[in-house]
Amino acid sequence: MSNHEEITAPSTQEDIEAADKLKNEANEYFKKQNYDKAIELYSQAIEKNPNSAVLYANRSIANLRLENFGYALGDASKAIALDKGYTKAYYRRAAAHMSLGKYKLALTDFEYVTTVRPYDQDAKLKYSECNKIVKKIAFEKAISVDKKEVNIADSINLDSMTIEDEYEGPMLEDGKVTLNFVKELMEYYKQQKKLHKKYAYKILLDVKTYLQNQPSLVDIKVPDDKKFTMCGDIHGQFYDLMNIFKLNGLPSDENPYLFNGDFVDRGSFSVECIFTLFSYKLLYPDHFYMSRGNHETLDMNRVYGFRGEVTSKYTSQMADLFTEVYNWLPLAHCINGRVLVMHGGLFSKDDVTLEDIKNVDRNKQPPEDGIMCELLWSDPQPMQGRSQSKRGVGCQFGPDVTHNFLQRNKLDYIIRSHEVKNDGYEVAHDGKCITVFSAPNYCDTMGNLGAFITMNGKDLVPHFTTYEAVPHPDVKPMAYANSIFNFLCQ
């Protein structure tokens, strides 16, 4: 259903009653976290009664839950056009703006609510919190040097950090990650304990040094008789990450892995996930690969909990260092010259080549358009051609776009992640566009399976393994997010 219905003549009483019935049914699906079905029913209700602000606002929050920020924004704006005094619609629109990193626009919406409801304490709190974020970002920009952030890595003095006698956790050996260290680290994390900050900083500095020398598109060679594994989004679900290793074996030179972005945010064990993955990257640099996702970015980390988690478990300085490290993550990987793997998807232009991807200057926050943005944000669609992104960033691309891109670059198919799928994966575009998502029961609410893909180097035929979520300690998703984001985005 389109998210851009025009306001039409008033509906009949019969239509209004039918719309109410559909809305109530949609609300029940929403409560069960079946947001796709809820959106479908809200859309049917809107067809019956296109002048109801409530229906648009309800569809807006369902789209927010699915991270369809572009659609959520459009629906909230439509609700406001229909009812200027409908404060809930302003909250929805502010949430969509913040999810897209447009904090000043969000602030304008919160400000409006405080004007029309001067005694609403909740509105005042949200305005105040959003205002703090806007001021903090303005301050960060003011102190940046030549438009490049100050280099945090250069300011860290490892020698000044002492290991306390009472620390009983894993230790680097001669400053290096070893297999023994990683195994101890995973066990230590299962007990909800924290790696010493000196080792945490050392890992980050070493990973940054390594990644700086990598191209934006990394070529991976898989021998004919060897297995290769690809995982999608992990999103801070550490105990599910451990389950992947239990099902498929620990990473090693003989058991290589590629993790395809979105290691952090949402789930509240993101620190544990990223240090485990970065440790494996240092241990097996030529057999363990990591792509950047749209959540390895500053705006997403501000909203969805990672910055808050790092600051809570360590320091805000470390959170800044993570931003620096993420800027150097490769944007895509090409397996045996035949399979391209990226987090988001393909492009708004027809002529993009692998060479163009390789030449992207990636050491930055993603721009709002272009190759880097689309690699991190785009999504496939079933219909031909391209359309505006439901997320408000990147584009949506059809089977013909995929086919033409593969033909131009002499590739067999693409693998991407970025979207929750009920079965943990989806095969689209005549088998040429595969989605893999590895965070089961995403956000503890979606009920989806997780999946990973295995293949051998000879035929590169994808095989799918699916699994359910495993129990984890009682720390809710978004536990470390600013309260304003927690309310709006969970």
Side-chain angles (χ1 to χ4, degrees):
M1 296 287 172
S2 166
N3 268 44
H4 307 288
E5 291 86 350
E6 291 303 315
I7 298 172
T8 57
S11 305
T12 64
Q13 188 59 35
E14 189 182 343
D15 281 341
I16 289 169
E17 286 170 9
D20 271 350
K21 193 175 172 191
L22 285 162
K23 180 190 80 173
N24 293 336
E25 200 182 338
N27 290 347
E28 288 306 308
Y29 278 104
F30 183 90
K31 284 177 197 162
K32 294 173 191 163
Q33 283 101 28
N34 188 338
Y35 303 122
D36 283 314
K37 185 66 178 173
I39 288 167
E40 185 186 318
L41 291 165
Y42 288 135
S43 299
Q44 289 174 23
I46 286 167
E47 283 183 8
K48 297 282 185 191
N49 183 11
N51 295 328
S52 165
V54 172
L55 290 174
Y56 282 102
N58 284 10
R59 191 170 69 177
S60 177
I61 188 69
N63 271 310
L64 268 174
R65 296 287 166 92
L66 290 177
E67 301 185 15
N68 297 338
F69 309 130
Y71 284 177
L73 192 61
D75 277 341
S77 293
K78 182 59 80 73
I80 289 165
L82 288 164
D83 182 354
K84 292 270 190 300
Y86 187 26
T87 54
K88 198 177 275 188
Y90 288 91
Y91 281 159
R92 302 277 190 268
R93 190 164 73 178
H97 279 317
M98 286 199 298
S99 298
L100 291 165
K102 299 183 187 299
Y103 303 104
K104 283 185 181 172
L105 291 173
L107 188 64
T108 304
D109 283 335
F110 286 133
E111 188 173 28
Y112 177 82
V113 178
T114 59
T115 306
V116 296
R117 299 178 66 169
Y119 303 110
D120 185 330
Q121 292 306 312
D122 186 50
K124 276 184 184 167
L125 179 68
K126 287 181 173 54
Y127 173 78
S128 169
E129 288 295 328
C130 190
N131 198 26
K132 278 184 207 163
I133 293 162
V134 169
K135 284 181 173 168
K136 186 171 189 296
I137 292 167
F139 175 72
E140 285 168 2
K141 280 186 179 160
I143 61 169
S144 65
V145 180
D146 291 333
K147 297 190 177 175
K148 283 278 185 191
E149 298 293 325
V150 178
N151 194 328
I152 302 298
D154 291 345
S155 68
I156 290 160
N157 181 1
L158 291 174
D159 294 336
S160 69
M161 300 179 197
T162 52
I163 310 288
E164 299 78 10
D165 290 342
E166 57 267 28
Y167 177 70
E168 295 176 342
M171 298 179 139
L172 296 176
E173 295 173 33
D174 295 326
K176 295 279 191 294
V177 170
T178 61
L179 180 56
N180 189 49
F181 170 84
V182 188
K183 285 182 175 176
E184 280 186 25
L185 181 65
M186 292 187 293
E187 290 307 314
Y188 204 59
Y189 279 156
K190 286 176 193 171
Q191 299 163 38
Q192 290 185 272
K193 294 181 177 174
K194 190 172 75 173
L195 177 65
H196 195 281
K197 69 176 181 182
K198 181 168 187 171
Y199 299 134
Y201 272 113
K202 180 74 165 78
I203 287 168
L204 284 176
L205 294 173
D206 287 354
V207 165
K208 184 185 177 190
T209 300
Y210 179 85
L211 292 176
Q212 280 176 308
N213 295 313
Q214 295 300 293
S216 292
L217 170 61
V218 173
D219 286 308
I220 299 174
K221 295 284 178 262
V222 182
D224 281 1
D225 58 341
K226 295 293 185 187
K227 180 179 91 166
F228 190 79
T229 302
M230 264 149 301
C231 298
D233 304 38
I234 298 296
H235 275 301
Q237 296 184 199
F238 175 73
Y239 296 85
D240 294 308
L241 173 62
M242 293 299 97
N243 189 39
I244 292 172
F245 292 156
K246 184 178 173 186
L247 294 170
N248 194 55
L250 293 176
S252 69
D253 288 342
E254 292 297 309
N255 192 26
Y257 278 82
L258 165 55
F259 280 83
N260 196 26
D262 284 14
F263 322 114
V264 300
D265 277 338
R266 292 285 197 177
S268 294
F269 304 96
S270 291
V271 162
E272 290 79 359
C273 285
I274 195 64
F275 278 120
T276 300
L277 295 172
F278 275 166
S279 295
Y280 272 120
K281 180 66 199 164
L282 292 172
L283 186 59
Y284 304 115
D286 299 325
H287 297 89
F288 191 89
Y289 302 92
M290 297 171 71
S291 299
R292 190 174 188 176
N294 66 303
H295 278 268
E296 279 70 56
T297 56
L298 182 54
D299 281 335
M300 292 291 110
N301 293 166
R302 273 197 181 106
V303 175
Y304 290 98
F306 182 63
R307 271 190 83 80
E309 185 181 339
V310 176
T311 303
S312 170
K313 291 177 179 176
Y314 290 101
T315 62
S316 59
Q317 180 198 44
M318 185 183 285
D320 292 336
L321 179 57
F322 265 108
T323 300
E324 251 177 46
V325 175
Y326 288 161
N327 282 353
W328 286 107
L329 282 164
L331 303 177
H333 292 79
C334 191
I335 302 168
N336 290 1
R338 289 168 55 196
V339 179
L340 187 67
V341 187
M342 78 292 281
H343 179 73
L346 296 180
F347 312 100
S348 52
K349 292 184 174 155
D350 272 333
D351 55 356
V352 176
T353 65
L354 297 184
E355 197 61 27
D356 293 330
I357 298 171
K358 204 164 271 188
N359 290 332
V360 171
D361 172 18
R362 70 185 187 279
N363 179 26
K364 59 188 174 187
Q365 292 303 297
E368 292 195 6
D369 52 30
I371 291 174
M372 181 175 178
C373 166
E374 289 158 357
L375 282 166
L376 302 187
W377 278 98
S378 290
D379 296 291
Q381 64 180 21
M383 54 283 217
Q384 303 286 358
R386 296 178 175 89
S387 59
Q388 205 172 356
S389 171
K390 60 190 176 184
R391 299 176 189 267
V393 192
C395 73
Q396 290 177 197
F397 58 96
D400 54 330
V401 176
T402 300
H403 175 79
N404 292 338
F405 176 80
L406 295 175
Q407 201 171 34
R408 182 175 301 103
N409 290 286
K410 299 182 174 57
L411 295 165
D412 293 356
Y413 62 95
I414 64 169
I415 296 176
R416 39 89 61 184
S417 302
H418 194 39
E419 286 183 287
V420 187
K421 298 295 175 187
N422 283 338
D423 296 326
Y425 71 95
E426 182 180 77
V427 181
H429 296 182
D430 307 312
K432 301 298 185 186
C433 176
I434 294 172
T435 299
V436 60
F437 191 86
S438 301
N441 194 25
Y442 180 43
C443 298
D444 288 355
T445 60
M446 299 296 278
N448 59 292
L449 294 173
F452 56 81
I453 296 172
T454 52
M455 60 178 66
N456 66 48
K458 187 176 183 182
D459 58 27
L460 300 178
V461 172
H463 301 278
F464 303 96
T465 301
T466 61
Y467 48 90
E468 294 182 350
V470 296
H472 64 74
D474 188 19
V475 185
K476 298 212 168 5
M478 302 277 288
Y480 297 93
N482 181 304
S483 58
I484 189 172
F485 297 137
N486 210 2
F487 169 79
L488 291 165
C489 302
Q490 218 179 342

